[in-house]
Amino acid sequence: MDYVSALLPPFVMAVLFIGVIRVIVKTQGGPNKAKEDAVVDVALARAENARQAGESNPKGAGA
């Protein structure tokens, strides 16, 4: 019975790892992909605009 207790943890971890990989693969793309991409694009545009505004309007320069 020692071999069962020795093999059980790696087997359980392998099953859980395969399950996680399947969930990741299944959630890629699909109907929500365009929505998620749009949200990321908006966030990147806001960050870029904030960065550019910060560079063109330095605070505390020349008092």
Side-chain angles (χ1 to χ4, degrees):
M1 290 303 286
D2 289 338
Y3 62 90
V4 173
S5 62
L7 291 176
L8 189 60
F11 180 74
V12 170
M13 291 301 290
V15 169
L16 291 175
F17 181 73
I18 290 169
V20 168
I21 297 300
R22 288 186 69 195
V23 167
I24 290 172
V25 169
K26 282 186 176 184
T27 57
Q28 297 299 309
N32 292 330
K33 182 166 177 43
K35 232 189 316 187
E36 292 169 357
D37 289 346
V39 169
V40 171
D41 289 341
V42 167
L44 289 175
R46 286 182 183 167
E48 181 66 22
N49 288 339
R51 187 184 63 82
Q52 288 178 353
E55 288 177 357
S56 66
N57 189 10
K59 296 186 180 199

